[in-house]
Amino acid sequence: MHKARVAIFISGGGTNMAALLYASLMKDSTFEIVLVASNKAEAAGLAIASAEGVKTFVHSHKGHSREDHDAAMEAALVEAKADYLALAGYMRILSDEFVRRWEGRILNIHPSLLPKYKGLETHRRAIEAGDTHAGASVHIVVPELDAGEVLAQARVAICAGETAASLAERVKFAEHQLYPRAVSEYVSRRPAI
Ligand code: GRF
């Protein structure tokens, strides 16, 4: 079976990266992880990917224009022959040109029930608004921030006395279920690239 070749960009802990990676190692997975790349050498997820035998790449954004940094990251994607890019806690905005070149092939996971709470501090904002539920969304990346088509969502109840930290931790459990399924469904319904 042809497996879709998926690269992942991370900036931090990489728990969603790990969820995607271990899902990809399950029998009958529709995708494989061909690269984990980061703008931060200290991103903990890089060590995990490396230990699991996945190719890694680091290019610091510091001292580079957005275009130059993106060009280096894109060269790594091309070298890895990636069909798709999954952003998983990648804390950089990609240049419009990059996004257009990869149109329809970049997915992101965002910790809110989009279109609510685009941007940062999503859990604090949901709690302060008195929402009964928070959650996560997997969406297609378009040039406008957190605005692309939503492919799948997971709803997570907000408990009494919830803090942004406790909610973030529980939403991640839901993210780890959601992201691999959403990636799998997406790559399965698109023709081979
Ligand atoms: C997740 O909450 C994700 O929704 C957001 O960034 C966080 C990444 O966490 N985009 P991790 O590095 O996957 O643990």
Side-chain angles (χ1 to χ4, degrees):
M1 183 182 67
H2 168 80
K3 293 185 190 243
R5 297 174 64 82
V6 177
I8 306 176
F9 283 4
I10 62 170
S11 297
T15 66
N16 278 285
M17 179 281 300
L20 288 169
L21 173 58
Y22 293 121
S24 79
L25 298 177
M26 293 285 129
K27 198 164 138 288
D28 299 334
S29 170
T30 56
F31 63 91
E32 62 184 312
I33 304 304
V34 295
L35 174 74
V36 174
S38 179
N39 61 317
K40 294 200 168 179
E42 68 277 18
L46 285 173
I48 298 168
S50 213
E52 297 291 355
V54 177
K55 191 171 152 56
T56 60
F57 175 79
V58 182
H59 189 269
S60 172
H61 60 278
K62 290 189 185 147
H64 297 277
S65 68
R66 187 174 305 285
E67 285 68 26
D68 286 353
H69 175 69
D70 283 4
M73 299 292 280
E74 188 173 7
L77 282 184
V78 171
E79 201 198 321
K81 298 188 172 57
D83 301 318
Y84 296 93
L85 169 60
L87 304 180
Y90 185 60
M91 300 306 285
R92 300 275 307 161
I93 293 174
L94 297 167
S95 62
D96 289 2
E97 295 70 29
F98 181 111
V99 173
R100 288 208 184 89
R101 274 196 296 280
W102 286 77
E103 193 184 342
R105 297 196 283 154
I106 313 177
L107 304 185
N108 181 43
I109 187 155
H110 180 76
S112 80
L113 295 171
L114 289 171
K116 280 186 145 182
Y117 313 126
K118 295 175 180 177
L120 300 174
E121 305 234 25
T122 54
H123 301 309
R124 180 183 60 71
R125 289 154 69 200
I127 292 169
E128 282 176 9
D131 293 357
T132 59
H133 287 77
S137 306
V138 174
H139 66 93
I140 297 174
V141 173
V142 295
E144 194 188 332
L145 186 68
D146 301 330
E149 181 196 343
V150 172
L151 299 172
Q153 290 186 315
R155 276 163 61 83
V156 173
I158 298 178
C159 300
E162 192 90 78
T163 64
S166 65
L167 184 56
E169 195 181 332
R170 204 164 63 263
V171 168
K172 279 208 187 174
F173 287 117
E175 291 185 17
H176 299 162
Q177 302 297 318
L178 181 72
Y179 209 4
R181 281 178 174 75
V183 168
S184 185
E185 263 170 40
Y186 190 67
V187 304
S188 302
R189 77 168 139 105
R190 283 174 62 94
I193 289 176

